[in-house]
Amino acid sequence: MAIEWSDNILLANLSDEPALSEELSSVIDTVNDAGRENAPHVVLDFRAVSYVNSSNIAQLLRLQKLLTETSRQLRLCGVSDEVWSVMLVTGLDKVFTFAPDTLTALAGLQLDDASAT
């Protein structure tokens, strides 16, 4: 489930369906509720996710679009081979930014934030 990792980063440890759709909706709602000025960066941890369906992909694309509009970043980490193959087949490996694990994703966001200021 989504937790606030810092003032400007939201970390969500995702799980398989049926919870996955609800968790992604919750993250989208949190970003929407924060507003344009206070929207957080988002890290989605996929370690416990063994597959994604078309609805999940649509939610991820919606979240990516929302974050891009607020000049925030989305990082996907801990992606299993099964989920990675879906990303490759659909071309989403070029749309999303991936990290091998949560710590690398968080560090990358913090470095990007530090270089942007």
Side-chain angles (χ1 to χ4, degrees):
M1 196 44 149
I3 59 166
E4 204 170 294
W5 190 80
S6 72
D7 288 342
N8 66 343
I9 298 176
L10 180 71
L11 170 62
N13 297 312
L14 304 174
S15 52
D16 266 332
E17 284 295 358
L20 180 58
S21 292
E22 293 173 21
E23 291 167 345
L24 290 173
S25 289
S26 175
V27 171
I28 291 168
D29 290 344
T30 300
V31 172
N32 266 328
D33 293 345
R36 189 172 274 283
E37 294 297 319
N38 298 317
H41 297 290
V42 176
V43 174
L44 300 178
D45 185 349
F46 276 80
R47 277 182 302 186
V49 178
S50 60
Y51 67 94
V52 291
N53 60 36
S54 59
S55 175
N56 303 141
I57 291 171
Q59 288 176 299
L60 288 170
L61 289 169
R62 182 174 171 216
L63 179 59
Q64 175 72 14
K65 181 178 186 272
L66 182 61
L67 290 168
T68 299
E69 290 170 353
T70 60
S71 299
R72 298 294 185 222
Q73 294 184 42
L74 172 63
R75 301 276 169 111
L76 280 57
C77 64
V79 175
S80 67
D81 289 343
E82 294 83 6
V83 173
W84 180 245
S85 67
V86 171
M87 298 295 177
L88 287 173
V89 167
T90 58
L92 294 174
D93 61 311
K94 294 170 181 59
V95 174
F96 299 115
T97 302
F98 295 88
D101 54 52
T102 306
L103 292 177
T104 305
L106 292 169
L109 284 175
Q110 290 177 320
L111 287 172
D112 287 352
D113 264 359
S115 66
T117 56

